Amino acid sequence: ACGVGKFLLESLLINNNIEHFYKVENGQLKSKIKLLGIDKGFDKDEQKTIILAKANMLIYLSDMIRKNSDLTTQFADVFNDTFELKTKNILGTLCDTKYEGKIDLILTNPPYVTTGSSNLKEEIIKSNLQSHYKINAMGVEGLFIEWIVRALKPGGKAFVVIPDGIFNRQNDKNLRQYILDECFIDGIISLPLKTFFRTPKKTYILCLTKKQNKTEKQTDPIFTYLVSEIGESRDIYRFDIEQDDLSEAVDWFNQFKNAKKSFKFSDKRCKIQPIEKFDPESHWSIERWWTKEEQIELGIIEEGKTTKFEELPDIIEDVANNILSFKEEILLLNGKKSKIEYKYKKVPLSDIMDLQDGFAFPSSVYITDKSAIKLIRIQDVNQKSEPKDVRIPIKYTFPNSKKYWVKQGDFLLSLSGAAGFNLIKYMGEEGYLNQRITKITINKDFKDKLIEDYEKVLIAEVYQELNSLGKGQNNNLSRKDLVNINLKIPVNCSDDVDLPAQKEIAEKYRKIEQIKKSISEELDKISKIEIDFE
């Protein structure tokens, strides 16, 4: 995805010594190093990109060409050998596997186009390239990360500009795990919006070294740095400006990579993070490891900052593109043919789950004793606050106390609309069950017939059934409402509970719930914006 070749050609200017790469000897132009830029194009406009890349190389080598004007044909061959145009397959660079394990250094800013990635994944299957793209990452950029990692030699390095989605999306946790398995992470540098003017997305430079041996575990810390300004205005004009945090980041990174475990720094934009922080199940957005106060001080965020009206279209476009990326994933889920033909039977909820209502404390209970028990209240759970202490005389005995005991993993359903009609999996401290709350537990007959992840599907179905009965936020529920509910259970041809089908359905449900959450977070970006119309 080399575009007009800027990343590749800038390397020719290192120390202003092009002879470090090419030399003329005995009338022959010889390359000391192999430069390679690949892009795709199916019409004349797209193909102009690679023509411009060759024209740029002509400019970079113009002085050498002037001194060796009789070798223009050889220089032309170098231009054509350097830049490849892919026209036969929509995968472009991604269809080419001949470079696996052969590249020393990769510099790239791959496309962040999420719409159409399903077409690429279909083409990967048609081209029998599934073994090269096993991760099923989201977006085109995820496919490029796989290509990049595979193309590197052991010990090879990559500096890749990537969008924030790779670091945040739960659906890309396998890609983050793949990076950890195959590479050492040397650094992550956070770039400001519009570092690339036509890319309004938040981006990072991901610095990787391919492992010599996959069994190696990273123990070295990771260089992280927050950039506010890049030495030029982040608009169409690209004027030089005084503040250049990016150059500072480069200087600090070069010091860090030579002494990772003893590196000392004084720049507040820099933090050295332990590898343990980079859990593939969690986010890798490094800004979150600076406090809000630190970010305000560094100018990463502005206190009470409003968004200029003219910036709103770019933000909306970014949010829209992120949401469209989830459409691609849903289409993939929908188009993925199951090996299992789902068959359901309806089972009364009371046959699957045991229901136990809470009880009211007798009015005679009063505070006399130092010992205390926990009283579980759904309001406390919703507000994530500690359940309240209720002190009672030691002589008081709870009726059937085992039934009313609540522990982590129990499902709790508020029966009162005033309490917030909410069904949750309780993960707080153990305690006794208060009245107007029903405890729901999978009974012993079904415990071995349901996988844990499928329980969430059933609970969601309870919600749907209650809503269909008109039991909403402001309606009181009763146990009778729950007992009358029938739940769908997947069964096989022998009418036994189908565990493989449960697993497949639960995985789809998990992905859909994550997509819904991610879409909600994207929409929050819009709803929380303060617009400056001046």
Side-chain angles (χ1 to χ4, degrees), residues 39-42 46 86-96 111 115-127 129 133 140 143-144:
D39 219 313
K40 69 176 181 178
F42 300 104
E46 286 182 334
K86 302 289 185 181
T87 58
K88 295 181 180 179
N89 192 303
I90 65 168
L91 293 172
T93 304
L94 300 172
C95 73
D96 205 333
T115 54
S117 61
S118 59
N119 295 333
L120 295 182
K121 290 176 181 179
E122 288 173 7
E123 187 62 33
I124 283 170
I125 294 172
K126 290 179 186 176
S127 303
L129 293 171
Y133 300 99
V140 179
L143 296 172
F144 267 90

Side-chain angles (χ1 to χ4, degrees), residues 94-113:
L94 300 172
C95 73
D96 205 333
T97 62
K98 66 184 178 183
Y99 297 108
E100 288 195 6
K102 295 182 179 178
I103 308 296
D104 294 287
L105 174 64
I106 294 177
L107 308 169
T108 186
N109 176 25
Y112 310 148
V113 181

Side-chain angles (χ1 to χ4, degrees), residues 117-118 120-122 124-125 130 132-139 142-143 146 150 169-175 178 328-329 332-333 336 507 511:
S117 61
S118 59
L120 295 182
K121 290 176 181 179
E122 288 173 7
I124 283 170
I125 294 172
Q130 301 96 309
H132 300 277
Y133 300 99
K134 299 177 181 178
I135 307 303
N136 195 28
M138 288 187 68
L143 296 172
E146 278 197 80
R150 291 182 186 280
R169 291 189 293 249
Q170 182 64 19
N171 293 314
D172 274 337
K173 65 179 182 180
N174 291 338
L175 182 61
Y178 177 70
E328 292 290 327
E329 177 132 353
L332 283 171
L333 280 176
K336 190 176 180 181
E507 178 61 15
K511 287 185 177 179

Side-chain angles (χ1 to χ4, degrees), residues 244-259:
D244 185 1
D245 308 319
L246 189 54
S247 292
E248 291 292 322
V250 171
D251 290 341
W252 284 114
F253 179 74
N254 283 332
Q255 294 178 49
F256 165 79
K257 68 182 183 180
N258 294 317

